[in-house]
Amino acid sequence: MGVVSATAAPPPRPRPPPGPVAMAARRRPVMAAAAAAEGRPWCGSIELSAICMYADCGILFSCSKIPVCTENTGTERSATKHILTEDLVRRRAEHNNCEIFSLEEISLHQQEIEKLEYLDKWCRDLKILYLQNNLIPKIENVGKLKKLEYLNVALNNIERIENLEGCEELKKLDLTANFIGELSSIESLKYNIHLKELFLVGNPCTEFEGYRQFVVATLHQLKCLDSKEIERSERIQALQNYPEVKQKIREQEQAYLLKRAREKEEAQRRNQETKDKKQKQMQSKLGYDNPDFSQNKENHQTEGDREEETWRTVDDDEEDRRFWEEPTPYTPESRLEAHRYIEEKRRAKDNIRESKKREKPLRTLVTAEGKVLNMNVPKLDFSLKDDEENNQIILDLAVYRYLDTSLLDVDVQPTYVRVLVKGKPFQLVLPEEVKPDSSSAKRSQTTGHLVVSMPKAKEIILAKQKVSTSIKHSACNTLQKKPGRSVQAEKLEVDPSKYSFPDVTKIIQEKEQIGQGPIRLQPVKITETKKSYVGFENNDDVPPLI
């Protein structure tokens, strides 16, 4: 792909309308080449995955308002002050066991950081530092990182390259999509003798005439600029034209600085107008609080809440449409303004959500009359068995198999049993009174079920089975013989008059049974009987039928 450059600054473009997900802060960017081909500036939020693509293609583009992404990847938010805290750094150093003194790489992107502090004191051994997509207006407090090799501060509000002279091992610097207009500030990078790669794509200085020649001639140690390798012939030509190019860059810098001064004044004026407008809106809203309105609100609270919510929704939609369609230049102030606006809307929604939250009433487990209620809030399968042999009641509760036992709380009372599963009550009234002190609860290691054994309060006396005298006599003889064992084996004498044993040899009678009993395997001789039929002729030449 070729290099697309704009000679003149594009006219102000309306803010892109917010999308369905977190408005414009989460929209993916459109391709810069397509935007340049259509003759319009590129709008939208730049994502980290797209930065390298633009740098590798060598595309130079100008952007409209780029709202910072306020969506964080998890819970690592640095409060509302948007400062770099030690707690945030430790949470982002999980790969190093949360130790920051020996940290070599850390990613602090999309944390809404507005100022760099303490990194050079906490993490002296840092080699790779990611700070893209924040609100950093100035490079500071990183000059003491002697081992730093790669610094990524893309998508911030940086306007000048400075305070990097102490980074002696710096090899790669990414300043993509910032607001650097003082191109002469790159002269401070002369002291970084190991710097090989520099990215300035998306900065106002890239639109200056002679931008690349000036950078190539100023930084002799540089090998690659905006992902394009610097050839030897290009460097020789840049050095030959360096005085003329330097003069042009100075003139364009002065014009840009004057333009920035006007943009700052305009931003201050806009901020003041916005504050006055909000103050008037608050006063107008307070005007609705008259006695008649309050009385109607008390009488029809539900209808009033619905109407107020609908009115707020319509008003917010109108305000959002007006804000995002208003023409605004692409400046650090407008980017910060968009971030403040999105943050304010998010805070307002959180406040409304918290106001709607009501504490859930406590569940009634026992009525005022003392009646115990049955309930199964965790919706678990269970079975209640009456073990008559052991005179106890067994409750089998199908608790989740991988649920930790510490999340279970069992309470056995004489008339009911209660089990809390992750705070959700399971309560069951028992058919009989039980002994709470003698009860036990066990957990199955295979199924995870909870088995509660509860002995009954009323003991049942079971009738003992009668034992025959002969068995008792033999048992007594056995007990008597146990103390002194005889050397010879003693045989048990049996009285044949009391016990009769069948004769095994006479089980089958000797009488011949025809057609009964098992099939005989031996062949049986069959006597041939000649039958005489009328008109039968015996011919020897005819073979038999069988």
Side-chain angles (χ1 to χ4, degrees), residues 240-301:
Q240 292 176 352
N241 302 328
Y242 181 70
E244 300 177 1
V245 173
K246 185 176 181 180
Q247 183 63 27
K248 291 181 180 180
I249 293 296
R250 296 290 185 183
E251 295 175 358
Q252 295 177 76
E253 271 187 8
Q254 295 298 327
Y256 175 78
L257 293 176
L258 294 175
K259 178 185 174 183
R260 281 291 297 133
R262 292 193 298 268
E263 289 176 350
K264 290 180 181 179
E265 294 178 359
E266 181 67 18
Q268 292 179 358
R269 184 184 62 81
R270 287 169 54 83
N271 291 337
Q272 188 63 32
E273 290 179 357
T274 304
K275 291 181 181 179
D276 296 342
K277 188 176 181 180
K278 288 183 179 180
Q279 189 175 2
K280 289 180 181 180
Q281 288 180 355
M282 293 296 295
Q283 293 176 357
S284 62
K285 288 181 181 180
L286 293 174
Y288 289 110
D289 296 336
N290 50 48
D292 297 336
F293 180 76
S294 302
Q295 186 176 1
N296 294 334
K297 188 175 181 179
E298 292 176 359
N299 295 336
H300 307 281
Q301 185 176 3

Side-chain angles (χ1 to χ4, degrees), residues 15 65-68 135-137 156-159 178-179 256-257 259-271 274 323 328-341:
R15 295 186 181 93
K65 182 171 182 178
I66 302 179
V68 66
L135 300 169
I136 302 171
N156 281 281
N157 295 344
I158 299 172
E159 300 188 49
N178 276 277
F179 299 90
Y256 175 78
L257 293 176
K259 178 185 174 183
R260 281 291 297 133
R262 292 193 298 268
E263 289 176 350
K264 290 180 181 179
E265 294 178 359
E266 181 67 18
Q268 292 179 358
R269 184 184 62 81
R270 287 169 54 83
N271 291 337
T274 304
F323 178 82
T328 305
Y330 175 52
T331 60
E333 291 77 19
S334 62
R335 188 168 182 262
L336 191 60
E337 180 186 1
H339 164 70
R340 300 290 187 219
Y341 179 81

Side-chain angles (χ1 to χ4, degrees), residues 407-422:
L407 300 175
L408 299 176
D409 187 11
V410 183
D411 182 16
V412 179
Q413 297 295 332
T415 57
Y416 66 92
V417 58
R418 181 186 302 163
V419 181
L420 295 179
V421 183
K422 295 179 66 176

Side-chain angles (χ1 to χ4, degrees), residues 92-98 103-107:
R92 301 298 293 179
E94 292 179 350
H95 58 283
N96 198 40
N97 296 327
C98 297
L103 196 63
E104 294 185 356
E105 179 180 352
I106 189 171
S107 178

Side-chain angles (χ1 to χ4, degrees), residues 337-354:
E337 180 186 1
H339 164 70
R340 300 290 187 219
Y341 179 81
I342 295 173
E343 184 182 15
E344 183 181 354
K345 289 295 181 182
R346 183 181 58 212
R347 193 183 300 112
K349 289 182 180 179
D350 293 342
N351 294 337
I352 295 173
R353 191 181 298 110
E354 290 177 1

